[in-house]
Amino acid sequence: QRLPRLCGVRHALDVIVRGRINGTASEGLKFGFLDGVASEDEGILEVALRWASWASTLSPEKLDSRRLCLKTVPNDEEGMDNSDLCDFALQSVPPKDMGGESVHATIEAIRASFELSSFQKGMEAEKNIFNDLLYHSLAGRAYRHIFFAERSSSSGRQLSKMKSAPSVVGSQLKKGKGAIGVIGAGTMGRGIAISFLRAGFGPVTLVDVNPKGLDAGIKYIQTTIHGEVKKGRIPGSKAKGILNHVKSSSDISYLADCDLVVEAVFENLKVKKEIFTKLNNLVVKKDALLLSNTSSLDVDVIASSLSPERRQYCAGMHFFSPAHIMKLVEVVRGQATSGATLEIICAVTKRIKKVPVVVGNCDGF
């Protein structure tokens, strides 16, 4: 109800509906968002004192003229009817039943700012629109469920009752440091590698027995990182450091010094067991995490390929495709997986900006 009165419906729709808030100071002055701009040699306190001093000189009438609740919505600067502006905005948003429920309600609230006779009536209409969404929107309930589910998964409460054993490797991984190994250069493996590289882990070694597949995986990683530089998501200097951390080999023995290894080959239990048998014999650090990206196989059967001492450091770390984009990671707890291992995996998952959810080792997790 306030923004349309401050700057007009056209600009209110841009900010509220379309989220366009990256305007310049001169645009803010022109459209009415700002009263003034601080000079380069002014500090925050000086600016506040200057504007407070100016406000103290205003008459009650002048102050009332600035109160948005006493203003009406101005006509459009380009001559369009305010109602037509709202109708036009509706054409560019999703239908209500396809994720557009809230934005339709937003435009309805903006429309109330100029169709109803007073600010108070507009606020009442907006409150009713809000309450209708709050109590009756299924999409709203789903979003709230997701919000609290993510909060719960990140709180650590599900790990609090598990006994934890100290781990030198684990403390490093929690700090975002450590050598990472990814086995399999396919869609999942290359996405997992990108996730760790972005977060600053390194070196990240990608291993695949197929040289052509390995080359394709490395090229994909390089193309993705360069693409994020072009989009402004990663500074060029950081991208150079990321790519310097990328290593590759067709020989699994190159993973001997890794702190964490994620196996991401195709879903074949025999192949995965063979890989973990090799890891058991070649990985030097006895507390290194040996994890599987399996989406359906029994983690305990995979862990049985390891020595009894290593099984506490084995678990499932199931990413969703594409792994460098999707946020959810299922942390699959095996029978021998220690609480400390689960804590470390969850901490690492948050480091790579994903949401860990600890699940049991069962069909479909």
Side-chain angles (χ1 to χ4, degrees):
Q1 300 306 299
R2 289 178 172 82
L3 196 59
R5 287 172 163 80
L6 178 66
C7 60
V9 170
R10 179 183 296 272
H11 302 302
L13 286 167
D14 267 349
V15 173
I16 300 173
V17 175
R18 302 184 183 99
R20 296 175 185 168
I21 57 174
N22 296 322
T24 63
S26 59
E27 288 175 331
L29 290 169
K30 177 182 177 182
F31 300 143
F33 294 120
L34 305 175
D35 285 314
V37 179
S39 61
E40 292 183 0
D41 58 347
E42 280 187 310
I44 294 176
L45 182 58
E46 293 172 300
V47 174
L49 289 172
R50 176 162 62 83
W51 280 97
S53 177
W54 171 81
S56 68
T57 64
L58 297 179
S59 64
E61 293 78 12
K62 184 65 175 177
L63 285 172
D64 282 344
S65 70
R66 292 174 56 82
R67 298 185 194 280
L68 294 177
C69 61
L70 301 178
K71 288 187 174 184
T72 57
V73 177
N75 294 326
D76 181 58
E77 58 193 21
E78 297 183 20
M80 283 190 69
D81 186 79
N82 285 333
S83 183
D84 290 339
L85 287 170
C86 289
D87 291 339
F88 181 75
L90 284 171
Q91 296 175 18
S92 61
V93 300
K96 286 185 178 181
D97 59 353
M98 296 182 65
E101 193 174 18
S102 60
V103 73
H104 277 260
T106 299
I107 295 173
E108 184 181 349
I110 292 174
R111 195 187 294 274
S113 69
F114 60 84
E115 286 189 347
L116 300 182
S117 59
S118 68
F119 176 82
Q120 288 73 22
K121 290 183 178 179
M123 288 296 292
E124 185 66 24
E126 187 170 323
K127 182 180 77 171
N128 292 335
I129 293 168
F130 176 84
N131 284 337
D132 182 57
L133 287 176
L134 178 63
Y135 294 114
H136 303 120
S137 169
L138 294 179
R141 292 181 186 180
Y143 280 124
R144 291 191 291 276
H145 173 79
I146 292 171
F147 173 80
F148 286 112
E150 288 189 359
R151 288 278 296 269
S152 176
S153 71
S154 300
S155 67
R157 284 181 294 176
Q158 53 192 328
L159 306 175
S160 60
K161 296 181 180 180
M162 300 180 185
K163 294 181 180 179
S164 298
S167 167
V168 175
V169 167
S171 62
Q172 288 292 102
L173 290 170
K174 285 182 177 181
K175 296 175 183 177
K177 300 176 182 179
I180 307 298
V182 180
I183 304 174
T187 301
M188 292 304 297
R190 61 185 69 170
I192 293 169
I194 291 171
S195 299
F196 280 100
L197 286 164
R198 281 180 182 153
F201 287 92
V204 175
T205 304
L206 190 63
V207 171
D208 198 301
V209 293
N210 181 350
K212 289 184 178 179
L214 185 60
D215 289 341
I218 294 299
K219 288 179 181 177
Y220 181 86
I221 292 171
Q222 293 170 340
T223 301
T224 301
I225 298 300
H226 288 312
E228 294 189 345
V229 173
K230 291 180 180 179
K231 294 175 183 177
R233 296 174 181 170
I234 297 178
S237 57
K238 182 179 179 181
K240 185 177 180 180
I242 287 174
L243 295 176
N244 285 338
H245 278 150
V246 181
K247 309 295 178 184
S248 64
S249 177
S250 295
D251 185 353
I252 196 172
S253 65
Y254 274 68
L255 304 181
D257 294 323
C258 284
D259 299 293
L260 181 151
V261 178
V262 181
E263 165 274 309
V265 302
F266 54 91
E267 291 289 89
N268 183 299
L269 185 59
K270 181 181 178 181
V271 173
K272 290 180 184 288
K273 289 187 68 177
E274 290 175 354
I275 289 172
F276 274 77
T277 298
K278 292 178 181 179
L279 292 174
N280 184 68
N281 296 325
L282 68 89
V283 175
V284 175
K285 298 172 185 175
K286 297 303 180 183
D287 56 351
L289 301 193
L290 306 180
L291 313 174
S292 175
N293 181 55
T294 180
S295 60
S296 59
L297 299 178
D298 191 327
V299 172
D300 288 329
V301 176
I302 295 173
S304 68
S305 303
L306 301 172
S307 64
E309 296 77 18
R310 279 198 187 272
R311 292 173 190 172
Q312 64 178 307
Y313 302 111
C314 180
M317 190 178 188
H318 177 220
F319 291 77
F320 289 77
S321 184
H324 58 297
I325 295 175
M326 302 297 285
K327 288 182 66 177
L328 181 63
V329 172
E330 288 181 315
V331 181
V332 187
R333 180 179 61 241
Q335 187 174 3
T337 307
S338 71
T341 296
L342 293 176
E343 287 182 19
I344 297 163
I345 300 172
C346 287
V348 169
T349 303
K350 294 173 189 175
R351 277 275 179 186
I352 61 177
K353 297 184 178 179
K354 298 189 182 298
V355 179
V357 176
V358 178
V359 297
N361 181 30
C362 57
D363 291 339
F365 301 142

